[in-house]
Amino acid sequence: MEPTAHVDTFVRDNLPPKNQWPKLAFELPELKYPKRMNCAVELLDKMVAGGHGERTVIRALIDGKAYSCTYRTLLDRANQIARVLTEDLKLKPGNRVLLRAPNNPMMAACWLAVTKAGLIAVPTMPLLRAAELVQIIDKAKVGAALCDLRLSEEMELARAGCRSLKQVLYFNDAGAGSLEQRLAAKPTTFANVDTAADDPCLIAFTSGTTGRPKGTVHFHRDVLAMCDCFPRSCLKPSRDDIFCGTPPLAFTFGLGGLLCFPMRFGASTVLIERLLPDTLLATIAKFKATICFTAPTFYRQMAGLVRNHDLRSLKKCVSAGEALPDATRQMFKEASGIEIIDGIGATEMIHIFISHTPERVRRGATGYAIPGYAAMVVDDAGKPCAPGVVGRLAVQGPTGCRYLADPRQKDYVIIQGNLRGWNLTGDAYKTDADGYFYYQARTDDMIISAGYNIAGPEVEAALLQHPAVAECGVVGVADAERGQIVKAVVVLKSGYTGNEPMVKELQEFVKKTIAPYKYPRSVEFMASLPRTETGKLQRFKLRMTG
Ligand code: 3UK
């Protein structure tokens, strides 16, 4: 490693042992980064120096009124916050700073400030409770937090429950001692910390639906690599694009799509708190957004609402977080004329590694390994599977998994054999002869019923083609006779009733659409499906119902 700028080396010291690190590849010319680099300086100071200073970078609604700020204003604000962090809070390079807010301009400025100061950002989802925050704070030994005032309740409960967290400053707060009040007294200049490209700058905790959270450590270089892969090859934004969408900035899908990608290309982003499908559509219309990032369930619900909104500005849509059923892709295309760009990413990999351009879409496929990444489907012995054969997805590229002090590193990064250094995402996939990848299920979500392997998402895709089905989730539940049986939890569209004839109809429909043995022997109806803040179905909850 290049000499670190970190005075506090806790995170570097708690990276996995070197022999468990992912192998990286930097073949693309745009990935040949210098040894010393600070990603926030690249995204902000250098964009201002490069002539973008007077252009809009962030758009928002503040107290219901349209707000916008330029790259130069954002730089001034980030510099002032960086001074508060280093001069008032006396934080030293390598210290961890918890960030907590819905998507808004101050949250963005705080992330940039923390990063410019060579500190390590630990962004957290707004809906987390104190108990979950305490786990994160303890794991990352976080000493300071910048938190939106409206999230103070759980923040204070968490602070009382952990020893390392000494200082909390609140923002979006006009009160005495607030971050705003402190930064107002600071000059708008700041001496950026000259970090190594491989100094850690971000700990992204995984949005896992069960178990103890895992902290994935990312370097300054990784943040730029995420900007220089998927956006360059699949999204192809221009400086005039206006990004918007739902993923929280605390989720790397959102940090990339709604902050880093627009800034890398001199474009702008719309940051709105708490969006629903209809308010997202209204936001696109109001801000004339051109690019939208959200999850499949949003596209499915938006398809039915498109006609109520003026979406002429919208050009490109990105879906990630969960498999995009082909029925949803077609429904959204019919409604809006837009071919969604699907992409699989992971917190461990920081962002998307398999995707496609709208022109190179293939029905049912997530896409192909994007330039910069290699992907393959392998069997349990680590041998590549032939096209059509289901196996585990392995990927390699400029980014990879590094858990903070966690034995589960060995489950994600292969540490021996010919695939040493490849990342196993935990997904079951198959390929076709042209190198397209087809999602099947999470490897631990495969349903095994009477000896058959059944992928829940395939049954979901079949159900979604039925006109009565709004949303559905398919899981395996224990069964004395068959080991597991297929259970479907279905949300019906309004006007349909969840009764015995409907169960029969859906079962017959699945039998006619895919191999009959895959039909759901159990069907249950719910008003809505349980989801995480990142839009993922909480399958374990579906197994427990009924
Ligand atoms: C699943 C998908 C099928 C898959 C993420 C884009 O989702 C992100 O990160 P997480 O750590 O979850 C990773 C897991 O989610 N998944 C994500 N996208 C797709 N499955 N098709 C997809 N398009 O199981 C993967 O292993 O929460 C997504 C960018 C950054 C991210 N962090």
Side-chain angles (χ1 to χ4, degrees):
M1 277 172 130
E2 172 74 11
T4 180
H6 288 182
V7 179
D8 171 352
T9 58
F10 168 79
V11 172
R12 288 174 62 107
D13 298 341
N14 281 283
L15 287 170
K18 274 276 164 69
N19 63 357
Q20 297 180 13
W21 280 33
K23 265 206 195 124
L24 303 178
F26 296 97
E27 261 109 66
L28 296 182
E30 53 268 36
L31 300 177
K32 308 241 180 272
Y33 298 114
K35 288 206 156 84
R36 300 209 76 80
M37 177 173 77
N38 181 313
C39 65
V41 174
E42 299 294 320
L43 293 173
L44 187 50
D45 302 59
K46 293 213 178 154
M47 294 308 283
V48 171
H52 292 274
E54 307 320 316
R55 292 169 48 80
T56 298
V57 61
I58 296 179
R59 302 161 193 272
L61 285 177
I62 294 181
D63 300 327
K65 284 209 280 294
Y67 160 95
S68 73
C69 84
T70 63
Y71 278 84
R72 189 179 306 282
T73 311
L74 181 61
L75 175 59
D76 290 349
R77 177 56 53 94
N79 284 346
Q80 290 173 307
I81 300 171
R83 281 184 181 258
V84 173
L85 293 167
T86 53
E87 295 169 7
D88 295 11
L89 305 191
K90 306 268 185 272
L91 297 177
K92 296 280 178 292
N95 287 167
R96 275 75 56 211
V97 180
L98 195 87
L99 296 176
R100 224 172 137 53
N103 288 1
N104 59 44
M106 272 301 276
M107 174 68 166
C110 287
W111 180 76
L112 290 159
V114 165
T115 309
K116 281 160 72 77
L119 304 163
I120 300 177
V122 184
T124 57
M125 303 286 182
L127 291 183
L128 291 190
R129 298 287 184 186
E132 296 154 308
L133 290 174
V134 167
Q135 283 188 349
I136 289 171
I137 293 165
D138 284 348
K139 180 90 210 187
K141 296 237 181 335
V142 173
L146 301 178
C147 178
D148 193 299
L149 184 64
R150 291 159 297 168
L151 299 175
S152 63
E153 202 173 313
E154 298 292 322
M155 187 76 250
E156 288 302 319
L157 285 172
R159 190 216 299 241
C162 34
R163 263 174 295 156
S164 65
L165 182 60
K166 302 231 162 54
Q167 320 187 71
V168 181
L169 286 185
Y170 290 101
F171 56 88
N172 291 328
D173 173 10
S178 66
L179 178 57
E180 276 89 347
Q181 198 192 50
R182 285 167 180 267
L183 70 82
K186 301 291 184 191
T188 55
T189 54
F190 177 72
N192 294 311
V193 173
D194 178 30
T195 45
D198 57 4
D199 271 334
C201 69
L202 173 70
I203 307 176
F205 277 85
T206 52
S207 56
T209 48
T210 49
R212 289 181 67 77
K214 291 173 267 195
T216 68
V217 179
H218 297 292
F219 301 162
H220 286 270
R221 188 186 61 208
D222 302 329
V223 171
L224 289 185
M226 82 169 163
C227 302
D228 293 334
C229 286
F230 168 74
R232 266 183 218 289
S233 55
C234 299
L235 189 59
K236 304 179 199 249
S238 80
R239 50 182 261 162
D240 295 321
D241 273 310
I242 300 174
F243 289 61
C244 81
T246 59
L249 294 177
F251 181 28
T252 58
F253 181 39
L255 182 67
L258 299 181
L259 187 61
C260 299
F261 298 174
M263 293 185 73
R264 185 69 165 160
F265 291 85
S268 71
T269 182
V270 184
L271 296 179
I272 305 284
E273 306 178 354
R274 284 178 292 275
L275 285 169
L276 298 168
D278 61 332
T279 50
L280 174 55
L281 287 166
T283 301
I284 294 168
K286 181 176 173 75
F287 290 90
K288 298 198 168 39
T290 59
I291 293 178
C292 174
F293 277 71
T294 190
T297 171
F298 262 68
Y299 287 114
R300 193 163 176 86
Q301 296 172 66
M302 282 156 69
L305 304 167
V306 159
R307 77 182 80 83
N308 308 334
H309 299 270
D310 175 3
L311 298 185
R312 276 172 301 175
S313 62
L314 190 61
K315 290 190 304 216
K316 291 169 195 165
C317 290
V318 178
S319 171
E322 272 199 316
L324 175 70
D326 186 60
T328 303
R329 171 187 288 291
Q330 302 308 337
M331 235 170 105
F332 189 78
K333 187 163 60 183
E334 268 159 41
S336 70
I338 296 176
E339 186 79 74
I340 295 173
I341 301 172
D342 189 6
I344 177 172
T347 308
E348 286 83 352
M349 303 298 297
I350 199 167
H351 220 275
I352 291 173
F353 44 85
I354 291 175
S355 184
H356 61 89
T357 61
E359 300 75 35
R360 290 182 64 194
V361 63
R362 194 164 284 193
R363 286 181 79 157
T366 313
Y368 41 84
I370 64 175
Y373 286 88
M376 50 178 160
V377 173
V378 298
D379 64 18
D380 287 341
K383 292 220 179 59
C385 295
V389 177
V390 177
R392 301 152 175 257
L393 180 65
V395 294
Q396 191 182 47
T399 60
C401 174
R402 299 174 208 101
Y403 290 132
L404 182 71
D406 203 311
R408 290 170 288 188
Q409 178 73 15
K410 295 204 283 299
D411 302 336
Y412 207 98
V413 175
I414 303 174
I415 60 169
Q416 54 196 10
N418 54 332
L419 288 183
R420 194 194 142 127
W422 284 66
N423 301 272
L424 285 177
T425 64
D427 296 294
Y429 260 87
K430 66 184 181 189
T431 58
D432 65 15
D434 301 324
Y436 279 81
F437 288 77
Y438 296 76
Y439 179 79
Q440 306 297 303
R442 293 285 306 167
T443 44
D444 45 12
D445 275 343
M446 273 294 204
I447 304 165
I448 303 171
S449 183
Y452 287 110
N453 271 341
I454 302 169
E458 189 190 358
V459 185
E460 289 163 14
L463 280 166
L464 286 174
Q465 292 171 42
H466 190 282
V469 176
E471 274 206 288
C472 63
V474 169
V475 292
V477 290
D479 178 76
E481 205 180 313
R482 300 175 171 267
Q484 281 187 312
I485 57 162
V486 177
K487 168 177 158 183
V489 180
V490 174
V491 179
L492 292 173
K493 290 189 186 153
S494 62
Y496 294 93
T497 321
N499 51 18
E500 217 21 62
M502 181 59 85
V503 170
K504 284 269 157 339
E505 182 174 333
L506 293 177
Q507 288 174 327
E508 289 310 311
F509 183 80
V510 172
K511 284 188 197 171
K512 275 188 284 168
T513 311
I514 53 178
Y517 68 86
K518 298 175 182 171
Y519 87 94
R521 283 169 194 271
S522 155
V523 178
E524 237 177 70
F525 300 99
M526 276 173 87
S528 66
L529 296 180
R531 291 191 179 275
T532 64
E533 224 179 322
T534 59
K536 282 195 217 310
L537 186 59
Q538 293 173 301
R539 289 175 190 279
F540 70 100
K541 290 198 177 156
L542 297 185
R543 289 189 199 104
M544 294 179 325
T545 64

